[in-house]
Structures are given as C-alpha cells and as structure tokens.
Amino acid sequence: MRRKMIMVSMMLLMFFLGSISSQAAAKIQEIRAYLNNEITFLLNGAKWKPTDANGKPIAAITYNGTTYVPLRAVSQAFGVPVEYNSVNKQVILGEKKDYVSFLDKSVGLDKKKSYYTTSVTRNASELNRGGKQYQAAFKLEEVNSNQKRMTIDFGKAYTRGHIVVAANFAAAHSTMKFRVLNDDDVVLYEGTLTKEEPFAEVDFNITGMTRYLSVDFVASVDGYSTGYVLLDDSWVK
C-alpha cells in the first residue's frame, strides 16, 4: 500500500470549508494522518468517489484507525444541505432553523396575565404525549366551565406559530376547548380536545401581537381538568 504521510490539522478534516483565519490558530491541533487511496465507496450499491467543491476526486483520510471523508461530499451525496458560518466557526447541516422554540430561554410565562395555577412542568409522567416523551410544558390546572388562560411572553413580535396542546381530563369531562389569542384577544385558532384525542398540533398566523400570545382552556361542565402547551415542538417565527 502506497501511503503518504502528511501533517494536517483537525480543521483540515473539513477542508471543504475553505481557509481558516489565523485568529483560530490557538484552537487548532496538529496531527499525523494518512491519505488513504485504497478505500473505495459504494453509495446505494453504485460506485461513488468523494470530490471537492471543484469536482476533483479526494482521498479519504485515515487517523487513529478512523476514516474521515469531507463533510460536504457526503452531505451532497445524501442530499443534505451543508453550510459553514465562518464568523461562528460553525457547520450547519440540514435546513436552517428560522423559528424560536418554546423551550428557548427567551420564551416564558407571564404570571401576571396567566391564571394563578399556571406553571412549568418537567414531570416525565405528564409529558408522554402522542407517542413522544416531551421535555417540558406550560401547565394550566383547574380547567373547568370557566375559561382559564395562560399567557406566553416572547419578548418580541412574530408572524407565524405552531403549537402543541394536550389535556388530562377529570372524570366529569369528555371535551376541552382551547383557543390561541393575540395580545388584543383576537382568536387566532380554536379547537377541541377529547378523551379519545387529548393531543393536537396546530398552525396559525399571528396578527396584531406585540410580544404576548395566550392560550385558554374551557371544559364542558364543572370539575377540574388540566391543559398543557408542550414546549418541545411549539414555536413561533
């Protein structure tokens, strides 16, 4: 086997990114690796050769028993977008995130505008919904035939939203209605949860919001149920 010993840096393993500024030199570690021309590839059963941005064939790199291939070549082969942010020294794989998750630190409950039993729960036993284990939820207890509300503060205005809601039903309740409202109490979306379908994901456009969005719940008769906004998959943009 014909091997060429070369001196490369860890960043060279992603050399598709281009040159690296001298300011980052303190974080670059020098290593000893091999250009391994013996390794060949099959992609979905067909021969495949990694190439650089100009279409020039590239050899794999072997380092400490692990094979490295340029990330851009692999991502393009599988149709996954890839981008490099030179300012943050960050590789971005897949679609760019252009939304703010309800899990973000900038998002929180406004306790003054919300019903007093509103809280944040991270109790795992409450958060297994729709076949998924969620991390956290805004929780509204004592939901009955009187409408109860939670208000979410985003710190700024957005134009679109996606929200995931769920319910735990009291014995006397079979349905729970919910509404999403802007800061002027204009209804942006309304729907119904049932004991058979106690989970829903909905999209809506936001109009007239400054920085707040409210979700209210009301049950059909007296008794106490619980409404949830599941944070992981809820977002605004």
Side-chain angles (χ1 to χ4, degrees):
M1 180 179 69
R2 181 172 178 266
R3 291 182 172 177
K4 295 180 181 179
M5 179 68 78
I6 58 172
M7 301 301 294
V8 295
S9 69
M10 289 300 290
M11 290 301 293
L12 188 57
L13 298 179
M14 296 187 296
F15 58 88
F16 74 92
L17 301 176
S19 61
I20 301 169
S21 86
S22 59
Q23 295 178 351
K27 295 185 179 181
I28 298 175
Q29 179 183 353
E30 197 173 70
I31 63 170
R32 297 172 66 87
Y34 297 93
L35 287 176
N36 194 336
N37 290 288
E38 285 193 335
I39 294 177
T40 60
F41 300 89
L42 291 177
L43 177 63
N44 296 323
K47 289 184 178 181
W48 175 74
K49 180 76 174 179
T51 59
D52 62 18
N54 297 316
K56 182 180 178 181
I58 301 169
I61 291 175
T62 298
Y63 171 66
N64 280 352
T66 300
T67 300
Y68 295 85
V69 180
L71 185 58
R72 183 178 294 280
V74 176
S75 67
Q76 288 179 342
F78 286 95
V80 178
V82 61
E83 186 175 321
Y84 180 59
N85 185 319
S86 60
V87 176
N88 297 326
K89 302 294 186 290
Q90 185 178 60
V91 178
I92 304 167
L93 287 170
E95 299 300 327
K96 287 184 179 180
K97 175 184 172 182
D98 62 349
Y99 60 86
V100 176
S101 168
F102 281 27
L103 283 173
D104 195 272
K105 292 181 180 179
S106 65
V107 180
L109 284 170
D110 188 304
K111 298 296 289 185
K112 293 181 179 179
K113 296 176 180 286
S114 301
Y115 190 65
Y116 77 95
T117 61
T118 305
S119 61
V120 178
T121 180
R122 292 181 173 82
N123 184 350
S125 64
E126 296 180 89
L127 299 174
N128 194 321
R129 304 283 175 161
K132 175 176 178 176
Q133 184 65 53
Y134 287 83
Q135 298 180 56
F138 295 144
K139 176 181 178 179
L140 180 58
E141 299 178 90
E142 297 187 6
V143 175
N144 56 17
S145 55
N146 295 318
Q147 221 143 27
K148 305 290 173 36
R149 172 178 299 193
M150 61 173 70
T151 298
I152 305 163
D153 184 358
F154 297 98
K156 59 179 287 189
Y158 293 91
T159 59
R160 289 182 56 202
H162 177 88
I163 201 167
V164 184
V165 295
N168 279 347
F169 285 96
H173 294 161
S174 58
T175 63
M176 183 189 297
K177 293 183 178 181
F178 68 92
R179 301 186 304 171
V180 181
L181 308 97
N182 69 7
D183 202 27
D184 295 321
D185 286 342
V186 175
V187 177
L188 307 176
Y189 187 92
E190 53 187 330
T192 302
L193 302 172
T194 67
K195 284 188 175 180
E196 293 74 26
E197 297 288 340
F199 175 90
E201 293 193 55
V202 299
D203 293 289
F204 52 91
N205 292 321
I206 301 171
T207 56
M209 188 181 92
T210 52
R211 56 185 283 180
Y212 302 100
L213 200 67
S214 293
V215 181
D216 64 24
F217 296 91
V218 61
S220 52
V221 295
D222 287 337
Y224 287 146
S225 291
T226 304
Y228 300 87
V229 172
L230 302 168
L231 306 189
D232 306 40
D233 293 339
S234 297
W235 48 260
V236 286
K237 62 188 293 186

